[in-house]
Amino acid sequence: DGYMYGPVFTMIKSISNQFPDLFRVEIFAASNVLIFIVTLLILWKVFDVQRLNIVGKLSILALVSTFSHLYYAFSVSAFPEFLELMLIALTFYLIKKGRLKSSMVILGVAAMVKIVPIILLPFLFPLVGLSGVIAFLVTIFLFLTTMVIYLDINYFKAFYKVFEITVRGSGNIFHPE
């Protein structure tokens, strides 16, 4: 089991388990490269990198490329982490564009890939307001409801497990036994 994975990871894992010949490590590794490139393009827009000269752009690319955890993530095909990173980057891009509710929906999806992005909510609340937080919570509620139906588990047990994992960090609670 992974560390604090959510329903999106469970759905991806379930689908890949049903089609093991199609969803091989190489497919996820290639997906990671694509997701990483998309993430870089999103961050390029968020931080307005296009205003830098070529030396500045290449310096940023070199710094990102030499980050040691990046090599490890590609080597273990850390698909949920790359997906989570892309969704968080997209969240900040949408905030920059003034699409506050949409940004919180995307952050909700990121939190359903891995629970950790929830820690951004208190920091974003002053920017997105109550309607943004409601959009975030509705997204999480819809994903949790989908997983409760998909796994045929008790709704209250699922929420208890979410609270338990958040407090103890005990692993993937949605992975069927």
Side-chain angles (χ1 to χ4, degrees):
D1 284 349
Y3 179 70
M4 298 181 84
Y5 290 96
V8 171
F9 174 78
T10 300
M11 288 189 278
I12 293 168
K13 186 166 178 61
S14 176
I15 292 168
S16 65
N17 285 345
Q18 291 177 14
F19 304 100
D21 292 334
L22 179 62
F23 293 99
R24 298 167 42 107
V25 172
E26 296 85 2
I27 296 296
F28 285 109
S31 298
N32 286 346
V33 171
L34 180 62
I35 289 172
F36 180 69
I37 290 169
V38 170
T39 302
L40 284 177
L41 293 173
I42 293 169
L43 291 173
W44 192 273
K45 294 288 187 182
V46 169
F47 294 111
D48 203 21
V49 176
Q50 56 267 26
R51 65 182 166 75
L52 297 176
N53 64 23
I54 190 69
V55 173
K57 291 174 185 175
L58 290 175
S59 298
I60 290 172
L61 186 59
L63 285 172
V64 170
S65 299
T66 59
F67 183 55
S68 65
H69 293 292
L70 183 63
Y71 294 116
Y72 175 75
F74 279 116
S75 70
V76 297
S77 191
F79 181 75
E81 288 77 11
F82 279 104
L83 183 59
E84 174 193 34
L85 178 63
M86 184 188 73
L87 292 169
I88 291 170
L90 184 56
T91 295
F92 286 106
Y93 174 77
L94 291 170
I95 287 172
K96 183 178 180 181
K97 291 294 184 184
R99 309 228 14 228
L100 303 179
K101 289 179 193 165
S102 298
S103 72
M104 296 311 289
V105 168
I106 297 299
L107 187 65
V109 174
M112 293 293 92
V113 173
K114 289 187 74 174
I115 307 301
V116 176
I118 288 175
I119 65 172
L120 295 173
L121 192 60
F123 301 103
L124 294 177
F125 177 72
L127 290 172
V128 300
L130 185 59
S131 62
V133 172
I134 290 171
F136 176 83
L137 294 173
V138 166
T139 303
I140 288 176
F141 175 77
L142 291 174
F143 269 96
L144 288 176
T145 301
T146 302
M147 289 313 299
V148 165
I149 292 168
Y150 176 72
L151 295 175
D152 193 26
I153 59 176
N154 181 307
Y155 207 87
F156 296 105
K157 181 179 179 183
F159 273 103
Y160 171 76
K161 289 290 191 180
V162 167
F163 176 74
E164 179 183 48
I165 192 172
T166 303
V167 172
R168 294 186 321 131
S170 58
N172 181 356
I173 55 137
F174 290 101
H175 188 270
E177 301 294 324

